[in-house]
Amino acid sequence: MIRPILISAALVTSTAALADKAVDQAMERKVAANFGKCVVKLDPVSAKKAVLSDLESAEINKDHKKLLDPRCLPSTVGSGIRLQMDDLSLKAAIAQTLIYRDLQNSQFSDFTRAPPLTHRQPYPLKTINDKTGLPLSEKSIKSQQEAIARKTLAYTLSRLGECVVRTDPSSARNVVFAPIGTTEEMAAIKAMAPVLSSCIAKGENVAFTRLSIRNTLGVNYYRLANAMPGGTQ
């Protein structure tokens, strides 16, 4: 009788842990969405530029600091919820607000008139210090390699997003207008599975999640809508 009891206890613990994680993820998504609304309100011009120009966080931090304003983070973040946003997540939080603001009454069935978008590619690996001409340390090279891996994934996801939105604008719209974290959102994403598969090149290794799919679709949907004749002006 001991073994079944131990197994049951393990299952209960695991389920509780998964439930806690799901709650945390839902809260993080809510905080990110509210952060996007807040910074767009603070600086709508920079917000739009960040998405349309595909800016990186370093560029945003240098020239558009209001988009990183800590006042847009609620007190709940400091009491247990950690908000960690990479470049795509930051732009997606902003893009989602811009989509709700600018595209509620817009329907796109074809993005062929929108020119190809540009996507930030990873920087090449450096092994020599540009200033001293000396070899870089293994630690520095490893740090670069990790950054390149992250940027390669972001680049791949960004291109994937453009392909999916161009291939099926209506279904992409269903995803970006679905309430965040709902069964409606999940159903909309599942409906796009064939398109997602068709946009992955043979031999290409792409790892994505429900959140990363929504993020890249949101950013690329807004960029393509703005790239159409007339844009979102």
Side-chain angles (χ1 to χ4, degrees):
M1 293 297 294
I2 295 177
R3 187 172 180 181
I5 292 173
L6 289 174
I7 292 174
S8 297
L11 288 173
V12 169
T13 301
S14 178
T15 302
L18 287 173
D20 289 342
K21 184 176 181 181
V23 170
D24 285 349
Q25 289 175 340
M27 180 59 74
E28 287 169 4
R29 294 190 70 183
K30 182 178 180 180
V31 171
N34 288 335
F35 180 83
K37 293 176 185 177
C38 180
V39 297
V40 169
K41 185 176 181 180
L42 281 177
D43 192 346
V45 174
S46 290
K48 190 168 184 176
K49 180 178 177 61
V51 177
L52 298 184
S53 299
D54 197 24
L55 299 184
E56 295 183 326
S57 55
E59 295 169 309
I60 293 173
N61 186 51
K62 179 183 177 183
D63 300 319
H64 308 280
K65 292 185 183 297
K66 285 186 178 180
L67 300 184
L68 300 173
D69 196 315
R71 292 175 297 174
C72 287
L73 292 174
S75 57
T76 51
V77 174
S79 60
I81 300 298
R82 296 179 61 196
L83 182 62
Q84 295 181 327
M85 292 192 289
D86 54 20
D87 288 353
L88 175 59
S89 299
L90 174 60
K91 285 178 286 191
I94 295 171
Q96 190 64 61
T97 297
L98 296 175
I99 286 170
Y100 288 148
R101 186 193 71 180
D102 299 338
L103 302 178
Q104 286 280 358
N105 300 316
S106 299
Q107 294 279 355
F108 298 96
S109 58
D110 188 352
F111 279 119
T112 54
R113 291 192 296 164
L117 300 178
T118 57
H119 303 278
R120 292 298 183 98
Q121 297 189 45
Y123 299 113
L125 178 69
K126 290 186 178 181
T127 57
I128 302 296
N129 187 306
D130 292 335
K131 294 182 178 179
T132 66
L134 298 174
L136 293 171
S137 66
E138 290 184 11
K139 182 179 179 181
S140 176
I141 292 175
K142 182 179 179 181
S143 178
Q144 285 186 74
Q145 291 172 330
E146 291 172 349
I148 289 171
R150 291 192 297 270
K151 287 184 179 295
T152 298
L153 175 59
Y155 172 68
T156 303
L157 280 172
S158 188
R159 288 173 50 246
L160 173 70
E162 180 181 1
C163 174
V164 171
V165 173
R166 283 186 182 278
T167 302
D168 193 346
S170 297
S171 294
R173 189 182 196 280
N174 290 340
V175 173
V176 300
F177 275 99
I180 294 173
T182 62
T183 54
E184 181 182 344
E185 177 192 61
M186 179 57 79
I189 291 175
K190 285 183 176 179
M192 299 208 73
V195 181
L196 284 164
S197 297
S198 70
C199 284
I200 298 175
K202 185 177 181 180
E204 191 172 40
N205 185 22
V206 184
F208 49 76
T209 63
R210 174 180 179 175
L211 177 58
S212 63
I213 291 173
R214 170 135 190 175
N215 284 350
T216 190
L217 292 185
V219 170
N220 282 284
Y221 190 89
Y222 190 76
R223 292 183 71 194
L224 284 170
N226 195 79
M228 291 286 283
T232 60
Q233 305 298 329

